[in-house]
Every structure is written in C-alpha cells, then in structure tokens.
Amino acid sequence: MRTSIAFAGLGLAAALVLSGCSTAAEAEAPMEEAAVVDTVNSDGAELRAQLTALLADHVYLAGAAIDQALQDGGDLSTPQVQAAVAALDENSVEVAALVGSAYPDAEQPFLDSWRSHIPFFVNYTLGKATGDQALADQAVADLGAYAVSFGQLINSVVPELPAEAVQAELEMHAQTLLAAIDANIAGDPAYFDLLKEAASHMPMTAQALAGGIAANLGIE
C-alpha cells in the first residue's frame, strides 16, 4: 500500500458579487481566479486519515493479542495467539509502508523500530500476570527508553517534529495501553473503556506526525 505524496491544488473561479454603488463596468469585469486548497481531499488530509486509522488499529490489535495471550495462560505459541500477533505485525508493516511512501529510505528503519516496542508490552503483561514485578518494571523502563529512541529516529527524518514531542506521544501511548492491560489482568470491566481511551489518543499522534511530514515535504 503505497500512496504518492504530491502537491495538491485546485484552481477554482471565484466571482466577487457587488451591490449598491457597483457600476456597470465593474459588474462586467472578468472574474478573478483564487487558489483554493481542498483540505478534505488533499494529500495531507489523506496521510493524516490513513495514519489515524492504522494507529487506532494498532491499539486494538495489540489489546486483542495481549488478551488472547492472557486467555491462553501466557502461552505465546498457541494458534490463536500466533494469529493475533500476525495481525498486529501486519499492521506494523502497513504503518511503515505509509511512512515509506513519503520517505522510502526510512521505511525499514521505522519498521524495525516500531516492531521492537511491542514485546515490551508482552513482557509487562507476563510480569504482571505472574507476579514478576521485576519483569514488569523492566518492561516499563524499556518502553521509556524506546520512546526516547523513537523520538530521535523520527526527528532525524522529519526535523520539523521535535524528538521530545514525539517522545511524549509515545509515552502517552504506553501509559494508556498499560492502564488497559492492568485492568484486563485484574478482570476489571473498565478494561474496555480504557482500551478505547488508549485508541482515542491515536488521532492526536497521527495529527502530529502527519503535520510534521506535510511541513517537511511542503504538501497541503
């Protein structure tokens, strides 16, 4: 799935309507053309929409994979867990491909980086579910370090996106998803609302990333 990022522009004729003291000459004057940006169907809007959908899917697919792993007693080799993990990885590939449509050289580094943070959520879940607090704490530390490195990676490709801002977005992603995982382990019905809350943060992340890419590439 690759989309070409190009300049979007649409020339529309605009008529200036005058009333009252308009003269006949003014009324017969040719219409002036004004550049109008289609903010609904532009390349920038499409990029943001695709990022929003894929990142929201990421949260729900991660939640499904973790939930399945818990149902299977932490056995990550069951067919159900493997299928859930495969769907989540397919989503990672799609996110990376979207980034690659704008920055081909960054597609593989992005994919490698993005894939690397998912096992940290798994480790956190296993640690919490088995009472291994050290494993859970290490997973939180790993997620924090990942947020820093991911921010630096994105900033190296899109200087318009400050590393600290990207880091903050990833930290929020981790915090909200970990809260949902805690509720799931505890059998708390709030799990579903917390997972929804984690997904609802993704449009803000998509807006930030798409905005930085649009500014960097000069697209509308």
Side-chain angles (χ1 to χ4, degrees):
M1 121 181 192
R2 289 181 176 273
T3 56
S4 298
I5 302 297
F7 286 98
L10 180 63
L12 298 178
L16 180 62
V17 179
L18 300 179
S19 61
C21 60
S22 298
T23 64
E26 289 173 331
E28 295 174 359
M31 295 184 295
E32 296 181 1
E33 290 192 356
V36 176
V37 175
D38 183 350
T39 58
V40 174
N41 301 298
S42 69
D43 289 322
E46 181 180 358
L47 174 63
R48 176 178 171 182
Q50 291 180 348
L51 270 174
T52 298
L54 289 174
L55 292 177
D57 284 349
H58 166 70
V59 172
Y60 285 120
L61 288 170
I66 290 169
D67 181 67
Q68 187 62 55
L70 288 171
Q71 290 186 41
D72 290 352
D75 184 354
L76 304 182
S77 65
T78 68
Q80 291 84 357
V81 172
Q82 288 295 304
V85 170
L88 178 58
D89 189 65
E90 182 180 354
N91 170 261
S92 296
V93 172
E94 291 172 342
V95 175
L98 185 58
V99 173
S101 69
Y103 306 100
D105 293 341
E107 181 172 342
Q108 191 60 49
F110 180 95
L111 179 58
D112 293 340
S113 175
W114 190 252
R115 277 175 167 163
S116 73
H117 88 287
I118 295 173
F120 301 147
F121 287 111
V122 175
N123 290 342
Y124 178 85
T125 303
L126 293 177
K128 283 290 188 178
T130 62
D132 188 344
Q133 190 59 44
L135 180 60
D137 290 343
Q138 183 60 54
V140 172
D142 289 339
L143 283 167
Y146 170 74
V148 174
S149 64
F150 185 76
Q152 293 169 344
L153 171 65
I154 295 300
N155 176 255
S156 71
V157 178
V158 189
E160 287 79 1
L161 288 171
E164 295 80 5
V166 178
Q167 175 186 338
E169 289 294 323
L170 262 293
E171 289 172 343
M172 179 63 71
H173 166 53
Q175 290 168 7
T176 54
L177 189 51
L178 290 179
I181 292 172
D182 285 342
N184 194 357
I185 293 172
D188 187 344
Y191 163 69
F192 300 100
D193 284 337
L194 289 171
L195 188 62
K196 180 181 177 182
E197 180 180 345
S200 70
H201 177 72
M202 290 298 97
M204 292 180 284
T205 301
Q207 179 180 1
L209 291 175
I213 292 172
N216 180 254
L217 297 180
I219 63 175
E220 297 291 348

